[in-house]
Amino acid sequence: MFDKSLSRNKGSRSFSAVGTGDSDDLQYDPPPACIGNAIGIIDEPLRQRTADVPQPKKADAIRCAHFRNGSMAAMTAGIIERYAAYLPVTATTPRVTLGEGSTPLVRSSRIGPSIGIEQLYFKYEGLNPSGSFKDRGMAVATAKALEAGAQTLLCASTGNTSASASAYAARCGLRAVVVVPVGGIAAGKLAQALAYGATIVSVKSSFDAALKLVRQLADQPGVALVNSVNPFRIEGQKTGAFEIVEQLGHAPAQLFIPVGNGGNITAYWRGFGEIVMTAGGSAPRMHGAQAEGAAPLVRGRPVARPRTVASAIRIGNPASWAGAIAARDESGGTIESVSDAEIMAAHHRLAREEGLLVEPASAASVALLLRRTKARQVTEGGAIVCVLTGHGLKDPQALTRGLKMPRPVEPTLTAIRRALHA
């Protein structure tokens, strides 16, 4: 049976499930005093929040020792190594990494000036190891799962979580079990999970139904649920906010970010909030972008059949609903919807005008900025950052939509010149 094969426990050993318990080159200004070195970003350490998150009673010393040694090292320090003082980790937590984080903050060369915004930046999260922002949270979630003795990482996914969980499971010798909605995951992401060796279960329903199912499955011993309902995921993802402050030298005035399940906007707001709480300054106004056909936070109610070309945010009932709304309200920001046409137009502009290849969901943040700028709802006054959550190669079908491949020509100079002038 599927339930019995979910976790591969050996002998008579059993472990508590690591679930959530939930039922349902750009430094223009010198960094201020609040910015530290590669290990931390704040001079005065934040109060440890270890007690805020359920801790495992006992870790497998042999497994943890193995995953703390050089075999887990990456050329680029991962987020746990860089920000350990600000994460719910201890000396016994394995320093799991694939070199996640340290993604570039790219200053706009064409889109910003064209719409009258001189300080527009793109946080290019598609350059994380598995190609999306999910790797930040997955590194911490996997480390805590290992510390608790888990042997299986379990998730429901529209794509990016499946790829990330599968990559980190492969890295650490764990099993990955992924439940996906049939037809609801981009081909590139599904291929990633399969290549990493994950067990894939496709269900004839939505992501929301898949998430409900995995929450029930997560009660089994040795299984760690690593969706964004896992609090360690949010903790890891908040490091994106830390990096933006490091790279700019201060917090931006406004941040635009795609919103699907709501975990990332929740995490970024937490990260900015911790910096402001400790070092002062101002946090940005948070602007969340949902797709028109999958905009439950905009409508104020779940969407039974979410529809959008942006599969990564095709979610009708966000797990981090409350966190996303709090980020909007506490920051004085907005959560708005953009059409698929606006998303694909922004997707096109990012590639053609900035050289940034993203999946459609990533372009939602830029689509919202473009809409608000056109409506004169964006005032100049400080840096604006758009978070680009996933790499374009994750959704190859979106890249080729509406494009025509050129016809082959004869291998002669005349034929090539004729083609160039056609």
Side-chain angles (χ1 to χ4, degrees):
M1 295 292 291
F2 177 67
D3 284 2
K4 292 182 180 179
S5 64
L6 188 60
S7 175
R8 292 175 177 170
N9 291 331
K10 297 182 179 180
S12 60
R13 297 170 65 195
S14 64
F15 303 97
S16 297
V18 190
T20 65
D22 191 349
S23 63
D24 237 76
D25 21 31
L26 296 182
Q27 280 189 327
Y28 295 96
D29 303 311
C34 67
I35 307 302
N37 55 27
I39 300 302
I41 63 168
I42 301 171
D43 288 338
E44 294 294 328
L46 298 174
R47 288 180 297 172
Q48 288 290 330
R49 287 167 302 284
T50 304
D52 295 341
V53 183
Q55 299 297 302
K57 295 180 180 179
K58 184 179 180 181
D60 185 325
I62 296 176
R63 291 171 69 90
C64 289
H66 170 70
F67 289 112
R68 280 200 307 272
N69 69 19
S71 68
M72 285 299 292
M75 292 299 290
T76 300
I79 62 160
I80 299 178
E81 197 63 39
R82 292 178 66 200
Y83 301 113
Y86 319 113
L87 295 171
V89 299
T90 67
T92 61
T93 306
R95 267 39 179 176
V96 172
T97 185
L98 280 167
E100 65 289 325
S102 302
T103 57
L105 185 68
V106 182
R107 187 165 190 166
S108 175
S109 63
R110 295 176 64 188
I111 293 178
S114 76
I115 58 176
I117 299 176
E118 295 302 319
Q119 295 186 67
L120 174 60
Y121 300 85
F122 305 107
K123 184 60 170 168
Y124 196 26
E125 288 289 271
L127 294 190
N128 274 296
S130 80
S132 86
F133 74 97
K134 302 283 187 177
D135 293 346
R136 294 179 182 274
M138 202 60 67
V140 181
T142 302
K144 298 303 288 187
L146 276 170
E147 188 174 20
Q151 296 173 312
T152 296
L153 301 186
L154 171 67
C155 68
S157 182
T158 56
N160 283 326
T161 295
S162 69
S164 185
S166 302
Y168 281 85
R171 176 69 165 169
C172 298
L174 302 175
R175 186 186 188 194
V177 175
V178 178
V179 180
V180 300
V182 63
I185 179 171
K189 301 171 188 178
L190 183 59
Q192 278 185 280
L194 290 168
Y196 293 132
T199 299
I200 309 293
V201 180
S202 183
V203 296
K204 298 176 181 178
S205 190
S206 66
F207 165 81
D208 303 290
L211 180 58
K212 184 177 181 179
L213 288 168
V214 298
R215 280 178 155 177
Q216 295 168 353
L217 288 169
D219 289 336
Q220 297 180 63
V223 176
L225 179 62
V226 292
N227 279 102
S228 59
V229 294
N230 182 320
F232 303 124
R233 280 279 309 276
I234 304 300
E235 288 292 305
Q237 286 166 210
K238 75 183 181 184
T239 62
F242 293 172
E243 286 185 11
I244 288 173
V245 174
E246 287 178 325
Q247 291 165 317
L248 280 176
H250 50 80
Q254 300 180 63
L255 184 125
F256 287 75
I257 189 168
V259 175
N261 217 22
N264 214 24
I265 190 172
T266 300
Y268 269 80
W269 181 238
R270 180 178 298 181
F272 286 123
E274 290 179 2
I275 294 170
V276 170
M277 234 181 359
T278 305
S282 299
R285 291 196 301 277
M286 307 289 287
H287 297 286
Q290 294 202 292
E292 276 185 355
L297 299 178
V298 178
R299 299 184 188 186
R301 63 183 185 277
V303 176
R305 294 180 179 83
R307 298 177 182 276
T308 175
V309 67
S311 60
I313 54 174
R314 192 188 295 146
I315 295 170
N317 190 14
S320 297
W321 187 302
I325 295 300
R328 179 197 68 186
D329 294 347
E330 292 171 12
S331 71
T334 63
I335 295 179
E336 302 173 64
S337 63
V338 288
S339 69
D340 279 5
E342 289 174 308
I343 289 172
M344 294 313 296
H347 178 270
H348 181 85
R349 290 192 67 174
L350 282 165
R352 296 295 180 91
E353 298 180 34
E354 301 287 354
L356 297 172
L357 200 63
V358 302
E359 63 172 315
S362 297
S365 60
V366 179
L368 180 56
L369 172 63
L370 293 173
R371 172 190 278 186
R372 290 182 61 83
T373 301
K374 186 176 181 179
R376 298 184 178 181
Q377 295 174 325
V378 177
T379 57
E380 184 69 62
I384 295 176
V385 173
C386 289
V387 179
L388 308 180
T389 47
H391 199 282
L393 293 180
K394 284 178 163 286
D395 194 344
Q397 290 179 318
L399 293 178
T400 57
R401 185 177 287 107
L403 300 179
K404 293 182 179 180
M405 292 299 292
R407 291 183 178 182
V409 301
E410 295 298 323
T412 66
L413 287 176
T414 299
I416 292 174
R417 287 191 178 110
R418 186 181 300 119
L420 291 175
H421 289 89

